[in-house]
Amino acid sequence: DTAVSQTPKYLVTQMGNDKSIKCEQNLGHDTMYWYKQDSKKFLKIMFSYNNKELIINETVPNRFSPKSPDKAHLNLHINSLELGDSAVYFCASSPFSGAGGTGELFFGEGSRLTVL
Amino acid sequence: KQEVTQIPAALSVPEGENLVLNCSFTDSAIYNLQWFRQDPGKGLTSLLLIQSSQREQTSGRLNASLDKSSGRSTLYIAASQPGDSATYLCAVGSRLTFGEGTQLTVNP
């Protein structure tokens, strides 16, 4: 069983469209994350949820909206897609979070978004 | 704001060589530091997690050290193998700031 699974793995869409990426973890972790890896391979945190509550919200356009229906799922919805949104988006989970830091992170395989 | 730097950006070594990858960070008030590897087209795999109270962690041929006061960590890989070829990343802090990674190639 895959620990952290993301769907879809590849997504090609037109500018202006709205799309979602889903993430599920079966590790029983409390905390989930979304990261963006740009064309230069630089990884940057976007959001973090702990037990369905938003705890980290980096400077991300409000076209990006995470949703956590339960602590095993964290979905990412993107409105009005732009060319610059093209990247690989990684979901991750860890055992605990908060001001004290994180436990070991487990990453999904990534979702490659291409905006044309 | 935490900044993480990894040196070198790329490294190519012959099989069997021991090597050291470096990670430095600007804010030493960290809870822990993690080392990951990323294979092309794949997600990240956690290699070692060092708590701020620890000086080093070992897993097989990998040894990671942490010097919080100087803002440095090293990942030592012993007897490198072609299968070790990947990008190695370190991440620090509660907001998990990543370095840009070191791309390692181990030549047979």
Side-chain angles (χ1 to χ4, degrees):
Chain A
D1 272 351
T2 304
V4 181
S5 59
Q6 301 178 223
T7 55
K9 189 166 184 176
Y10 299 97
L11 191 52
V12 180
T13 188
Q14 300 287 332
M15 268 197 328
N17 284 349
D18 303 340
K19 290 293 177 187
S20 292
I21 307 172
K22 295 186 176 181
C23 180
E24 176 181 4
Q25 54 97 1
N26 62 7
L27 298 168
H29 290 164
D30 293 326
T31 310
M32 296 184 72
Y33 311 81
W34 277 110
Y35 281 86
K36 179 180 180 180
Q37 189 171 44
D38 61 25
S39 57
K40 295 183 180 178
K41 306 298 184 187
F42 187 60
L43 262 168
K44 187 168 182 189
I45 192 167
M46 299 173 68
F47 302 103
S48 175
Y49 271 72
N50 189 46
N51 273 323
K52 303 192 296 176
E53 287 192 28
L54 182 66
I55 55 170
I56 294 176
N57 185 355
E58 289 294 298
T59 308
V60 177
N62 57 16
R63 298 182 294 102
F64 290 77
S65 53
K67 284 192 172 46
S68 182
D70 55 63
K71 74 174 193 177
H73 295 84
L74 181 61
N75 304 321
L76 183 65
H77 188 76
I78 315 170
N79 290 327
S80 304
L81 279 156
E82 300 178 357
L83 293 176
D85 297 333
S86 296
V88 181
Y89 292 85
F90 286 98
C91 178
S93 72
S94 72
F96 63 87
S97 185
T102 70
E104 185 179 6
L105 256 69
F106 291 80
F107 279 80
E109 296 265 300
S111 297
R112 182 176 293 276
L113 172 65
T114 303
V115 182
L116 303 175
Chain B
K1 181 183 174 184
Q2 180 74 269
E3 292 183 6
V4 180
T5 304
Q6 291 189 244
I7 294 172
L11 182 61
S12 181
V13 300
E15 183 176 2
E17 193 162 296
N18 301 328
L19 57 102
V20 175
L21 308 180
N22 298 289
C23 172
S24 60
F25 45 94
T26 54
D27 183 354
S28 61
I30 62 170
Y31 186 77
N32 59 33
L33 181 146
Q34 300 187 49
W35 281 95
F36 298 85
R37 72 174 276 169
Q38 184 175 26
D39 294 283
K42 300 287 187 183
L44 280 71
T45 301
S46 177
L47 297 173
L48 290 162
L49 169 68
I50 312 179
Q51 303 294 348
S52 62
S53 57
Q54 296 176 311
R55 297 288 298 217
E56 63 180 88
Q57 276 278 26
T58 298
S59 175
R61 293 182 295 108
L62 305 180
N63 176 277
S65 68
L66 174 63
D67 184 343
K68 262 187 63 174
S69 60
S70 67
R72 293 173 191 265
S73 176
T74 61
L75 179 67
Y76 175 83
I77 302 177
S80 58
Q81 303 171 358
D84 294 331
S85 298
T87 297
Y88 290 79
L89 301 111
C90 66
V92 301
S94 59
R95 301 185 91 76
L96 290 163
T97 304
F98 276 83
E100 296 197 25
T102 294
Q103 187 171 349
L104 173 66
T105 303
V106 181
N107 302 301

